[in-house]
PDB file of all heavy atoms in Angstrom:
ATOM      1  N   SER A 203      40.270  17.840  -8.422  1.00 39.00           N
ATOM      2  CA  SER A 203      41.288  18.791  -7.992  1.00 39.00           C
ATOM      3  C   SER A 203      40.649  19.911  -7.185  1.00 39.00           C
ATOM      4  O   SER A 203      39.465  20.185  -7.289  1.00 39.00           O
ATOM      5  CB  SER A 203      41.992  19.375  -9.227  1.00 39.00           C
ATOM      6  OG  SER A 203      41.089  20.182  -9.968  1.00 39.00           O
ATOM      7  N   SER A 204      41.472  20.578  -6.379  1.00 43.00           N
ATOM      8  CA  SER A 204      40.961  21.671  -5.557  1.00 43.00           C
ATOM      9  C   SER A 204      40.520  22.847  -6.399  1.00 43.00           C
ATOM     10  O   SER A 204      39.784  23.719  -5.940  1.00 43.00           O
ATOM     11  CB  SER A 204      42.054  22.135  -4.584  1.00 43.00           C
ATOM     12  OG  SER A 204      43.214  22.534  -5.293  1.00 43.00           O
ATOM     13  N   ALA A 205      40.950  22.864  -7.649  1.00 39.00           N
ATOM     14  CA  ALA A 205      40.573  23.958  -8.540  1.00 39.00           C
ATOM     15  C   ALA A 205      39.179  23.771  -9.107  1.00 39.00           C
ATOM     16  O   ALA A 205      38.610  24.669  -9.702  1.00 39.00           O
ATOM     17  CB  ALA A 205      41.585  24.063  -9.688  1.00 39.00           C
ATOM     18  N   ALA A 206      38.620  22.585  -8.924  1.00 45.00           N
ATOM     19  CA  ALA A 206      37.287  22.324  -9.460  1.00 45.00           C
ATOM     20  C   ALA A 206      36.264  23.204  -8.768  1.00 45.00           C
ATOM     21  O   ALA A 206      36.429  23.621  -7.626  1.00 45.00           O
ATOM     22  CB  ALA A 206      36.933  20.849  -9.258  1.00 45.00           C
ATOM     23  N   ASP A 207      35.173  23.500  -9.466  1.00 54.00           N
ATOM     24  CA  ASP A 207      34.114  24.347  -8.914  1.00 54.00           C
ATOM     25  C   ASP A 207      33.312  23.549  -7.894  1.00 54.00           C
ATOM     26  O   ASP A 207      32.469  22.739  -8.245  1.00 54.00           O
ATOM     27  CB  ASP A 207      33.209  24.838 -10.061  1.00 54.00           C
ATOM     28  CG  ASP A 207      32.135  25.789  -9.553  1.00 54.00           C
ATOM     29  OD1 ASP A 207      32.132  26.097  -8.342  1.00 54.00           O
ATOM     30  OD2 ASP A 207      31.308  26.220 -10.369  1.00 54.00           O
ATOM     31  N   SER A 208      33.577  23.811  -6.606  1.00 55.00           N
ATOM     32  CA  SER A 208      32.909  23.048  -5.547  1.00 55.00           C
ATOM     33  C   SER A 208      31.443  23.405  -5.414  1.00 55.00           C
ATOM     34  O   SER A 208      30.698  22.709  -4.728  1.00 55.00           O
ATOM     35  CB  SER A 208      33.627  23.290  -4.212  1.00 55.00           C
ATOM     36  OG  SER A 208      33.563  24.665  -3.871  1.00 55.00           O
ATOM     37  N   SER A 209      31.013  24.503  -6.063  1.00 69.00           N
ATOM     38  CA  SER A 209      29.617  24.927  -5.966  1.00 69.00           C
ATOM     39  C   SER A 209      28.773  24.395  -7.121  1.00 69.00           C
ATOM     40  O   SER A 209      27.585  24.700  -7.197  1.00 69.00           O
ATOM     41  CB  SER A 209      29.532  26.453  -5.926  1.00 69.00           C
ATOM     42  OG  SER A 209      29.976  27.014  -7.155  1.00 69.00           O
ATOM     43  N   ALA A 210      29.385  23.619  -8.020  1.00 85.00           N
ATOM     44  CA  ALA A 210      28.653  23.127  -9.189  1.00 85.00           C
ATOM     45  C   ALA A 210      27.551  22.164  -8.762  1.00 85.00           C
ATOM     46  O   ALA A 210      27.755  21.286  -7.927  1.00 85.00           O
ATOM     47  CB  ALA A 210      29.617  22.436 -10.151  1.00 85.00           C
ATOM     48  N   ALA A 211      26.385  22.329  -9.357  1.00 89.00           N
ATOM     49  CA  ALA A 211      25.235  21.483  -9.023  1.00 89.00           C
ATOM     50  C   ALA A 211      25.398  20.100  -9.636  1.00 89.00           C
ATOM     51  O   ALA A 211      25.692  19.967 -10.820  1.00 89.00           O
ATOM     52  CB  ALA A 211      23.955  22.121  -9.529  1.00 89.00           C
ATOM     53  N   VAL A 212      25.221  19.077  -8.820  1.00 93.00           N
ATOM     54  CA  VAL A 212      25.182  17.700  -9.301  1.00 93.00           C
ATOM     55  C   VAL A 212      23.719  17.240  -9.376  1.00 93.00           C
ATOM     56  O   VAL A 212      23.289  16.670 -10.369  1.00 93.00           O
ATOM     57  CB  VAL A 212      25.988  16.768  -8.373  1.00 93.00           C
ATOM     58  CG1 VAL A 212      25.872  15.314  -8.837  1.00 93.00           C
ATOM     59  CG2 VAL A 212      27.442  17.192  -8.331  1.00 93.00           C
ATOM     60  N   LEU A 213      22.981  17.517  -8.301  1.00 96.00           N
ATOM     61  CA  LEU A 213      21.561  17.202  -8.242  1.00 96.00           C
ATOM     62  C   LEU A 213      20.791  18.417  -7.745  1.00 96.00           C
ATOM     63  O   LEU A 213      21.358  19.315  -7.132  1.00 96.00           O
ATOM     64  CB  LEU A 213      21.293  16.030  -7.285  1.00 96.00           C
ATOM     65  CG  LEU A 213      22.005  14.708  -7.543  1.00 96.00           C
ATOM     66  CD1 LEU A 213      21.673  13.724  -6.413  1.00 96.00           C
ATOM     67  CD2 LEU A 213      21.619  14.123  -8.891  1.00 96.00           C
ATOM     68  N   TYR A 214      19.486  18.426  -8.025  1.00 97.00           N
ATOM     69  CA  TYR A 214      18.583  19.387  -7.401  1.00 97.00           C
ATOM     70  C   TYR A 214      17.646  18.624  -6.468  1.00 97.00           C
ATOM     71  O   TYR A 214      17.231  17.505  -6.780  1.00 97.00           O
ATOM     72  CB  TYR A 214      17.751  20.119  -8.446  1.00 97.00           C
ATOM     73  CG  TYR A 214      18.537  21.043  -9.343  1.00 97.00           C
ATOM     74  CD1 TYR A 214      18.328  21.057 -10.713  1.00 97.00           C
ATOM     75  CD2 TYR A 214      19.486  21.921  -8.812  1.00 97.00           C
ATOM     76  CE1 TYR A 214      19.041  21.912 -11.542  1.00 97.00           C
ATOM     77  CE2 TYR A 214      20.212  22.772  -9.639  1.00 97.00           C
ATOM     78  CZ  TYR A 214      19.981  22.768 -10.996  1.00 97.00           C
ATOM     79  OH  TYR A 214      20.686  23.609 -11.805  1.00 97.00           O
ATOM     80  N   GLU A 215      17.314  19.227  -5.351  1.00 97.00           N
ATOM     81  CA  GLU A 215      16.422  18.607  -4.374  1.00 97.00           C
ATOM     82  C   GLU A 215      15.230  19.522  -4.121  1.00 97.00           C
ATOM     83  O   GLU A 215      15.393  20.730  -3.918  1.00 97.00           O
ATOM     84  CB  GLU A 215      17.166  18.366  -3.068  1.00 97.00           C
ATOM     85  CG  GLU A 215      16.302  17.802  -1.936  1.00 97.00           C
ATOM     86  CD  GLU A 215      17.014  17.847  -0.598  1.00 97.00           C
ATOM     87  OE1 GLU A 215      16.946  18.912   0.080  1.00 97.00           O
ATOM     88  OE2 GLU A 215      17.662  16.856  -0.254  1.00 97.00           O
ATOM     89  N   VAL A 216      14.035  18.945  -4.151  1.00 98.00           N
ATOM     90  CA  VAL A 216      12.834  19.696  -3.775  1.00 98.00           C
ATOM     91  C   VAL A 216      12.028  18.857  -2.789  1.00 98.00           C
ATOM     92  O   VAL A 216      12.019  17.625  -2.865  1.00 98.00           O
ATOM     93  CB  VAL A 216      11.941  20.056  -4.991  1.00 98.00           C
ATOM     94  CG1 VAL A 216      12.650  21.017  -5.919  1.00 98.00           C
ATOM     95  CG2 VAL A 216      11.495  18.820  -5.734  1.00 98.00           C
ATOM     96  N   LYS A 217      11.373  19.549  -1.847  1.00 98.00           N
ATOM     97  CA  LYS A 217      10.482  18.892  -0.898  1.00 98.00           C
ATOM     98  C   LYS A 217       9.156  19.635  -0.930  1.00 98.00           C
ATOM     99  O   LYS A 217       9.126  20.864  -0.768  1.00 98.00           O
ATOM    100  CB  LYS A 217      11.087  18.881   0.509  1.00 98.00           C
ATOM    101  CG  LYS A 217      12.400  18.087   0.574  1.00 98.00           C
ATOM    102  CD  LYS A 217      12.931  17.989   2.002  1.00 98.00           C
ATOM    103  CE  LYS A 217      14.213  17.157   2.044  1.00 98.00           C
ATOM    104  NZ  LYS A 217      14.723  16.980   3.427  1.00 98.00           N
ATOM    105  N   ILE A 218       8.070  18.884  -1.121  1.00 97.00           N
ATOM    106  CA  ILE A 218       6.761  19.489  -1.372  1.00 97.00           C
ATOM    107  C   ILE A 218       5.687  18.741  -0.589  1.00 97.00           C
ATOM    108  O   ILE A 218       5.704  17.501  -0.532  1.00 97.00           O
ATOM    109  CB  ILE A 218       6.417  19.431  -2.879  1.00 97.00           C
ATOM    110  CG1 ILE A 218       7.507  20.101  -3.713  1.00 97.00           C
ATOM    111  CG2 ILE A 218       5.056  20.071  -3.156  1.00 97.00           C
ATOM    112  CD1 ILE A 218       7.406  19.813  -5.198  1.00 97.00           C
ATOM    113  N   ILE A 219       4.764  19.487   0.004  1.00 97.00           N
ATOM    114  CA  ILE A 219       3.581  18.887   0.619  1.00 97.00           C
ATOM    115  C   ILE A 219       2.406  19.054  -0.335  1.00 97.00           C
ATOM    116  O   ILE A 219       2.155  20.157  -0.827  1.00 97.00           O
ATOM    117  CB  ILE A 219       3.231  19.544   1.966  1.00 97.00           C
ATOM    118  CG1 ILE A 219       4.427  19.542   2.907  1.00 97.00           C
ATOM    119  CG2 ILE A 219       2.047  18.821   2.616  1.00 97.00           C
ATOM    120  CD1 ILE A 219       4.185  20.329   4.188  1.00 97.00           C
ATOM    121  N   HIS A 220       1.690  17.967  -0.607  1.00 95.00           N
ATOM    122  CA  HIS A 220       0.513  18.002  -1.467  1.00 95.00           C
ATOM    123  C   HIS A 220      -0.745  17.889  -0.598  1.00 95.00           C
ATOM    124  O   HIS A 220      -0.824  17.016   0.280  1.00 95.00           O
ATOM    125  CB  HIS A 220       0.555  16.860  -2.487  1.00 95.00           C
ATOM    126  CG  HIS A 220       1.765  16.910  -3.375  1.00 95.00           C
ATOM    127  ND1 HIS A 220       1.810  17.652  -4.533  1.00 95.00           N
ATOM    128  CD2 HIS A 220       2.986  16.335  -3.257  1.00 95.00           C
ATOM    129  CE1 HIS A 220       2.997  17.517  -5.107  1.00 95.00           C
ATOM    130  NE2 HIS A 220       3.735  16.726  -4.345  1.00 95.00           N
ATOM    131  N   PHE A 221      -1.702  18.767  -0.849  1.00 94.00           N
ATOM    132  CA  PHE A 221      -2.913  18.842  -0.031  1.00 94.00           C
ATOM    133  C   PHE A 221      -4.153  18.442  -0.840  1.00 94.00           C
ATOM    134  O   PHE A 221      -4.260  18.777  -2.029  1.00 94.00           O
ATOM    135  CB  PHE A 221      -3.130  20.265   0.476  1.00 94.00           C
ATOM    136  CG  PHE A 221      -2.092  20.748   1.453  1.00 94.00           C
ATOM    137  CD1 PHE A 221      -0.872  21.231   1.008  1.00 94.00           C
ATOM    138  CD2 PHE A 221      -2.337  20.716   2.813  1.00 94.00           C
ATOM    139  CE1 PHE A 221       0.086  21.691   1.892  1.00 94.00           C
ATOM    140  CE2 PHE A 221      -1.383  21.170   3.714  1.00 94.00           C
ATOM    141  CZ  PHE A 221      -0.167  21.660   3.263  1.00 94.00           C
ATOM    142  N   ALA A 222      -5.073  17.751  -0.186  1.00 91.00           N
ATOM    143  CA  ALA A 222      -6.397  17.464  -0.736  1.00 91.00           C
ATOM    144  C   ALA A 222      -7.426  18.071   0.199  1.00 91.00           C
ATOM    145  O   ALA A 222      -7.473  17.712   1.386  1.00 91.00           O
ATOM    146  CB  ALA A 222      -6.623  15.954  -0.859  1.00 91.00           C
ATOM    147  N   ASP A 223      -8.209  19.023  -0.311  1.00 91.00           N
ATOM    148  CA  ASP A 223      -9.217  19.703   0.522  1.00 91.00           C
ATOM    149  C   ASP A 223      -8.584  20.276   1.781  1.00 91.00           C
ATOM    150  O   ASP A 223      -9.093  20.114   2.899  1.00 91.00           O
ATOM    151  CB  ASP A 223     -10.364  18.756   0.871  1.00 91.00           C
ATOM    152  CG  ASP A 223     -11.075  18.221  -0.372  1.00 91.00           C
ATOM    153  OD1 ASP A 223     -11.133  18.954  -1.382  1.00 91.00           O
ATOM    154  OD2 ASP A 223     -11.559  17.076  -0.327  1.00 91.00           O
ATOM    155  N   ALA A 224      -7.419  20.927   1.597  1.00 92.00           N
ATOM    156  CA  ALA A 224      -6.685  21.620   2.667  1.00 92.00           C
ATOM    157  C   ALA A 224      -6.063  20.675   3.693  1.00 92.00           C
ATOM    158  O   ALA A 224      -5.543  21.124   4.720  1.00 92.00           O
ATOM    159  CB  ALA A 224      -7.583  22.640   3.368  1.00 92.00           C
ATOM    160  N   GLN A 225      -6.063  19.376   3.434  1.00 93.00           N
ATOM    161  CA  GLN A 225      -5.481  18.400   4.355  1.00 93.00           C
ATOM    162  C   GLN A 225      -4.259  17.753   3.690  1.00 93.00           C
ATOM    163  O   GLN A 225      -4.349  17.260   2.566  1.00 93.00           O
ATOM    164  CB  GLN A 225      -6.509  17.326   4.701  1.00 93.00           C
ATOM    165  CG  GLN A 225      -6.067  16.355   5.785  1.00 93.00           C
ATOM    166  CD  GLN A 225      -7.175  15.389   6.155  1.00 93.00           C
ATOM    167  OE1 GLN A 225      -7.766  14.748   5.290  1.00 93.00           O
ATOM    168  NE2 GLN A 225      -7.479  15.282   7.446  1.00 93.00           N
ATOM    169  N   PRO A 226      -3.079  17.754   4.354  1.00 94.00           N
ATOM    170  CA  PRO A 226      -1.894  17.155   3.732  1.00 94.00           C
ATOM    171  C   PRO A 226      -2.087  15.662   3.495  1.00 94.00           C
ATOM    172  O   PRO A 226      -2.491  14.929   4.397  1.00 94.00           O
ATOM    173  CB  PRO A 226      -0.779  17.420   4.746  1.00 94.00           C
ATOM    174  CG  PRO A 226      -1.473  17.663   6.036  1.00 94.00           C
ATOM    175  CD  PRO A 226      -2.792  18.277   5.704  1.00 94.00           C
ATOM    176  N   ILE A 227      -1.801  15.242   2.278  1.00 93.00           N
ATOM    177  CA  ILE A 227      -2.034  13.844   1.912  1.00 93.00           C
ATOM    178  C   ILE A 227      -0.757  13.153   1.436  1.00 93.00           C
ATOM    179  O   ILE A 227      -0.625  11.937   1.533  1.00 93.00           O
ATOM    180  CB  ILE A 227      -3.136  13.756   0.832  1.00 93.00           C
ATOM    181  CG1 ILE A 227      -3.644  12.318   0.694  1.00 93.00           C
ATOM    182  CG2 ILE A 227      -2.658  14.303  -0.494  1.00 93.00           C
ATOM    183  CD1 ILE A 227      -4.889  12.204  -0.173  1.00 93.00           C
ATOM    184  N   GLN A 228       0.206  13.949   0.949  1.00 94.00           N
ATOM    185  CA  GLN A 228       1.465  13.371   0.471  1.00 94.00           C
ATOM    186  C   GLN A 228       2.604  14.350   0.709  1.00 94.00           C
ATOM    187  O   GLN A 228       2.458  15.551   0.498  1.00 94.00           O
ATOM    188  CB  GLN A 228       1.373  13.048  -1.030  1.00 94.00           C
ATOM    189  CG  GLN A 228       2.636  12.416  -1.614  1.00 94.00           C
ATOM    190  CD  GLN A 228       2.634  12.447  -3.135  1.00 94.00           C
ATOM    191  OE1 GLN A 228       3.134  13.383  -3.745  1.00 94.00           O
ATOM    192  NE2 GLN A 228       2.046  11.422  -3.743  1.00 94.00           N
ATOM    193  N   PHE A 229       3.761  13.806   1.140  1.00 97.00           N
ATOM    194  CA  PHE A 229       4.987  14.589   1.241  1.00 97.00           C
ATOM    195  C   PHE A 229       5.986  14.024   0.248  1.00 97.00           C
ATOM    196  O   PHE A 229       6.312  12.839   0.277  1.00 97.00           O
ATOM    197  CB  PHE A 229       5.565  14.539   2.652  1.00 97.00           C
ATOM    198  CG  PHE A 229       6.906  15.208   2.783  1.00 97.00           C
ATOM    199  CD1 PHE A 229       7.074  16.534   2.417  1.00 97.00           C
ATOM    200  CD2 PHE A 229       8.005  14.509   3.265  1.00 97.00           C
ATOM    201  CE1 PHE A 229       8.312  17.157   2.525  1.00 97.00           C
ATOM    202  CE2 PHE A 229       9.246  15.115   3.391  1.00 97.00           C
ATOM    203  CZ  PHE A 229       9.394  16.446   3.015  1.00 97.00           C
ATOM    204  N   GLU A 230       6.448  14.864  -0.656  1.00 97.00           N
ATOM    205  CA  GLU A 230       7.334  14.453  -1.751  1.00 97.00           C
ATOM    206  C   GLU A 230       8.752  14.953  -1.506  1.00 97.00           C
ATOM    207  O   GLU A 230       8.979  16.141  -1.291  1.00 97.00           O
ATOM    208  CB  GLU A 230       6.802  15.015  -3.070  1.00 97.00           C
ATOM    209  CG  GLU A 230       7.718  14.834  -4.264  1.00 97.00           C
ATOM    210  CD  GLU A 230       7.174  15.485  -5.534  1.00 97.00           C
ATOM    211  OE1 GLU A 230       6.015  15.966  -5.509  1.00 97.00           O
ATOM    212  OE2 GLU A 230       7.905  15.512  -6.536  1.00 97.00           O
ATOM    213  N   GLU A 231       9.715  14.029  -1.564  1.00 97.00           N
ATOM    214  CA  GLU A 231      11.138  14.362  -1.541  1.00 97.00           C
ATOM    215  C   GLU A 231      11.713  13.906  -2.878  1.00 97.00           C
ATOM    216  O   GLU A 231      11.706  12.716  -3.184  1.00 97.00           O
ATOM    217  CB  GLU A 231      11.857  13.629  -0.406  1.00 97.00           C
ATOM    218  CG  GLU A 231      11.343  13.945   0.988  1.00 97.00           C
ATOM    219  CD  GLU A 231      12.070  13.144   2.050  1.00 97.00           C
ATOM    220  OE1 GLU A 231      11.732  11.951   2.222  1.00 97.00           O
ATOM    221  OE2 GLU A 231      12.982  13.699   2.687  1.00 97.00           O
ATOM    222  N   ARG A 232      12.223  14.828  -3.669  1.00 97.00           N
ATOM    223  CA  ARG A 232      12.661  14.479  -5.027  1.00 97.00           C
ATOM    224  C   ARG A 232      14.051  15.023  -5.324  1.00 97.00           C
ATOM    225  O   ARG A 232      14.396  16.143  -4.929  1.00 97.00           O
ATOM    226  CB  ARG A 232      11.680  15.052  -6.063  1.00 97.00           C
ATOM    227  CG  ARG A 232      12.013  14.644  -7.504  1.00 97.00           C
ATOM    228  CD  ARG A 232      11.044  15.269  -8.492  1.00 97.00           C
ATOM    229  NE  ARG A 232       9.690  14.764  -8.348  1.00 97.00           N
ATOM    230  CZ  ARG A 232       9.236  13.665  -8.944  1.00 97.00           C
ATOM    231  NH1 ARG A 232      10.057  12.952  -9.707  1.00 97.00           N
ATOM    232  NH2 ARG A 232       7.974  13.294  -8.789  1.00 97.00           N
ATOM    233  N   TRP A 233      14.827  14.199  -6.045  1.00 97.00           N
ATOM    234  CA  TRP A 233      16.148  14.587  -6.514  1.00 97.00           C
ATOM    235  C   TRP A 233      16.202  14.414  -8.030  1.00 97.00           C
ATOM    236  O   TRP A 233      15.720  13.413  -8.571  1.00 97.00           O
ATOM    237  CB  TRP A 233      17.220  13.735  -5.845  1.00 97.00           C
ATOM    238  CG  TRP A 233      17.275  13.949  -4.369  1.00 97.00           C
ATOM    239  CD1 TRP A 233      18.053  14.833  -3.680  1.00 97.00           C
ATOM    240  CD2 TRP A 233      16.497  13.265  -3.371  1.00 97.00           C
ATOM    241  NE1 TRP A 233      17.813  14.750  -2.336  1.00 97.00           N
ATOM    242  CE2 TRP A 233      16.856  13.800  -2.121  1.00 97.00           C
ATOM    243  CE3 TRP A 233      15.520  12.259  -3.438  1.00 97.00           C
ATOM    244  CZ2 TRP A 233      16.278  13.358  -0.932  1.00 97.00           C
ATOM    245  CZ3 TRP A 233      14.946  11.824  -2.248  1.00 97.00           C
ATOM    246  CH2 TRP A 233      15.324  12.364  -1.011  1.00 97.00           C
ATOM    247  N   VAL A 234      16.794  15.383  -8.720  1.00 96.00           N
ATOM    248  CA  VAL A 234      16.824  15.410 -10.183  1.00 96.00           C
ATOM    249  C   VAL A 234      18.245  15.681 -10.657  1.00 96.00           C
ATOM    250  O   VAL A 234      18.974  16.485 -10.055  1.00 96.00           O
ATOM    251  CB  VAL A 234      15.866  16.509 -10.719  1.00 96.00           C
ATOM    252  CG1 VAL A 234      16.013  16.680 -12.230  1.00 96.00           C
ATOM    253  CG2 VAL A 234      14.421  16.174 -10.363  1.00 96.00           C
ATOM    254  N   ASP A 235      18.648  15.024 -11.737  1.00 94.00           N
ATOM    255  CA  ASP A 235      19.964  15.232 -12.342  1.00 94.00           C
ATOM    256  C   ASP A 235      20.065  16.680 -12.841  1.00 94.00           C
ATOM    257  O   ASP A 235      19.373  17.080 -13.774  1.00 94.00           O
ATOM    258  CB  ASP A 235      20.143  14.256 -13.512  1.00 94.00           C
ATOM    259  CG  ASP A 235      21.549  14.291 -14.085  1.00 94.00           C
ATOM    260  OD1 ASP A 235      22.150  15.369 -14.155  1.00 94.00           O
ATOM    261  OD2 ASP A 235      22.046  13.225 -14.511  1.00 94.00           O
ATOM    262  N   ALA A 236      20.914  17.464 -12.203  1.00 93.00           N
ATOM    263  CA  ALA A 236      21.018  18.889 -12.525  1.00 93.00           C
ATOM    264  C   ALA A 236      21.637  19.141 -13.898  1.00 93.00           C
ATOM    265  O   ALA A 236      21.364  20.169 -14.523  1.00 93.00           O
ATOM    266  CB  ALA A 236      21.848  19.605 -11.457  1.00 93.00           C
ATOM    267  N   GLN A 237      22.463  18.221 -14.366  1.00 89.00           N
ATOM    268  CA  GLN A 237      23.091  18.410 -15.671  1.00 89.00           C
ATOM    269  C   GLN A 237      22.093  18.231 -16.809  1.00 89.00           C
ATOM    270  O   GLN A 237      22.158  18.919 -17.824  1.00 89.00           O
ATOM    271  CB  GLN A 237      24.257  17.419 -15.839  1.00 89.00           C
ATOM    272  CG  GLN A 237      25.358  17.589 -14.803  1.00 89.00           C
ATOM    273  CD  GLN A 237      25.955  18.974 -14.799  1.00 89.00           C
ATOM    274  OE1 GLN A 237      26.348  19.482 -15.857  1.00 89.00           O
ATOM    275  NE2 GLN A 237      26.017  19.613 -13.640  1.00 89.00           N
ATOM    276  N   LYS A 238      21.140  17.318 -16.615  1.00 88.00           N
ATOM    277  CA  LYS A 238      20.157  17.064 -17.671  1.00 88.00           C
ATOM    278  C   LYS A 238      19.043  18.099 -17.694  1.00 88.00           C
ATOM    279  O   LYS A 238      18.488  18.399 -18.761  1.00 88.00           O
ATOM    280  CB  LYS A 238      19.548  15.662 -17.490  1.00 88.00           C
ATOM    281  CG  LYS A 238      20.517  14.540 -17.772  1.00 88.00           C
ATOM    282  CD  LYS A 238      19.833  13.185 -17.668  1.00 88.00           C
ATOM    283  CE  LYS A 238      20.795  12.055 -18.009  1.00 88.00           C
ATOM    284  NZ  LYS A 238      20.148  10.726 -17.887  1.00 88.00           N
ATOM    285  N   LEU A 239      18.711  18.638 -16.522  1.00 91.00           N
ATOM    286  CA  LEU A 239      17.622  19.614 -16.446  1.00 91.00           C
ATOM    287  C   LEU A 239      18.060  20.820 -15.609  1.00 91.00           C
ATOM    288  O   LEU A 239      17.616  21.002 -14.469  1.00 91.00           O
ATOM    289  CB  LEU A 239      16.369  18.979 -15.834  1.00 91.00           C
ATOM    290  CG  LEU A 239      15.610  17.990 -16.717  1.00 91.00           C
ATOM    291  CD1 LEU A 239      14.471  17.348 -15.952  1.00 91.00           C
ATOM    292  CD2 LEU A 239      15.057  18.696 -17.954  1.00 91.00           C
ATOM    293  N   PRO A 240      18.925  21.672 -16.168  1.00 91.00           N
ATOM    294  CA  PRO A 240      19.468  22.795 -15.389  1.00 91.00           C
ATOM    295  C   PRO A 240      18.421  23.817 -14.962  1.00 91.00           C
ATOM    296  O   PRO A 240      18.655  24.570 -14.009  1.00 91.00           O
ATOM    297  CB  PRO A 240      20.497  23.415 -16.339  1.00 91.00           C
ATOM    298  CG  PRO A 240      20.088  22.960 -17.702  1.00 91.00           C
ATOM    299  CD  PRO A 240      19.511  21.595 -17.522  1.00 91.00           C
ATOM    300  N   GLU A 241      17.268  23.869 -15.642  1.00 92.00           N
ATOM    301  CA  GLU A 241      16.245  24.861 -15.297  1.00 92.00           C
ATOM    302  C   GLU A 241      15.240  24.338 -14.269  1.00 92.00           C
ATOM    303  O   GLU A 241      14.350  25.081 -13.838  1.00 92.00           O
ATOM    304  CB  GLU A 241      15.501  25.287 -16.566  1.00 92.00           C
ATOM    305  CG  GLU A 241      16.392  26.005 -17.572  1.00 92.00           C
ATOM    306  CD  GLU A 241      15.656  26.350 -18.843  1.00 92.00           C
ATOM    307  OE1 GLU A 241      14.767  25.576 -19.229  1.00 92.00           O
ATOM    308  OE2 GLU A 241      15.954  27.391 -19.433  1.00 92.00           O
ATOM    309  N   PHE A 242      15.373  23.077 -13.865  1.00 94.00           N
ATOM    310  CA  PHE A 242      14.392  22.475 -12.961  1.00 94.00           C
ATOM    311  C   PHE A 242      14.230  23.277 -11.674  1.00 94.00           C
ATOM    312  O   PHE A 242      13.114  23.555 -11.226  1.00 94.00           O
ATOM    313  CB  PHE A 242      14.820  21.040 -12.630  1.00 94.00           C
ATOM    314  CG  PHE A 242      13.924  20.331 -11.658  1.00 94.00           C
ATOM    315  CD1 PHE A 242      12.777  19.679 -12.092  1.00 94.00           C
ATOM    316  CD2 PHE A 242      14.218  20.313 -10.293  1.00 94.00           C
ATOM    317  CE1 PHE A 242      11.942  19.026 -11.197  1.00 94.00           C
ATOM    318  CE2 PHE A 242      13.386  19.663  -9.389  1.00 94.00           C
ATOM    319  CZ  PHE A 242      12.250  19.026  -9.849  1.00 94.00           C
ATOM    320  N   ILE A 243      15.334  23.678 -11.070  1.00 94.00           N
ATOM    321  CA  ILE A 243      15.301  24.319  -9.762  1.00 94.00           C
ATOM    322  C   ILE A 243      14.636  25.688  -9.802  1.00 94.00           C
ATOM    323  O   ILE A 243      14.218  26.220  -8.762  1.00 94.00           O
ATOM    324  CB  ILE A 243      16.737  24.435  -9.193  1.00 94.00           C
ATOM    325  CG1 ILE A 243      16.718  24.622  -7.664  1.00 94.00           C
ATOM    326  CG2 ILE A 243      17.513  25.546  -9.894  1.00 94.00           C
ATOM    327  CD1 ILE A 243      16.255  23.409  -6.913  1.00 94.00           C
ATOM    328  N   GLU A 244      14.517  26.282 -10.988  1.00 93.00           N
ATOM    329  CA  GLU A 244      13.946  27.622 -11.115  1.00 93.00           C
ATOM    330  C   GLU A 244      12.419  27.609 -11.188  1.00 93.00           C
ATOM    331  O   GLU A 244      11.792  28.666 -11.146  1.00 93.00           O
ATOM    332  CB  GLU A 244      14.506  28.308 -12.365  1.00 93.00           C
ATOM    333  CG  GLU A 244      16.022  28.471 -12.343  1.00 93.00           C
ATOM    334  CD  GLU A 244      16.559  28.968 -13.667  1.00 93.00           C
ATOM    335  OE1 GLU A 244      15.745  29.400 -14.510  1.00 93.00           O
ATOM    336  OE2 GLU A 244      17.783  28.934 -13.859  1.00 93.00           O
TER     337      GLU A 244
END
């Protein structure tokens, strides 16, 4: 319904570059169930 909270989190997304000896070695794109881990994004 239009009354539903359209801003409610369904998933959290993070993007991270991992470096080895100052050189990027991995780029991580991750999505997490926001209902199961509400503190993840913090």
Side-chain angles (χ1 to χ4, degrees):
S203 67
S204 57
D207 183 3
S208 61
S209 66
V212 177
L213 303 176
Y214 292 135
E215 176 192 86
V216 294
K217 297 185 178 183
I218 304 167
I219 306 173
H220 301 274
F221 293 81
D223 300 328
Q225 187 175 51
I227 194 170
Q228 181 195 91
F229 174 56
E230 172 183 353
E231 300 178 281
R232 184 182 294 274
W233 296 268
V234 173
D235 187 323
Q237 299 302 309
K238 291 184 178 179
L239 287 175
E241 296 177 327
F242 177 85
I243 200 69
E244 300 172 12

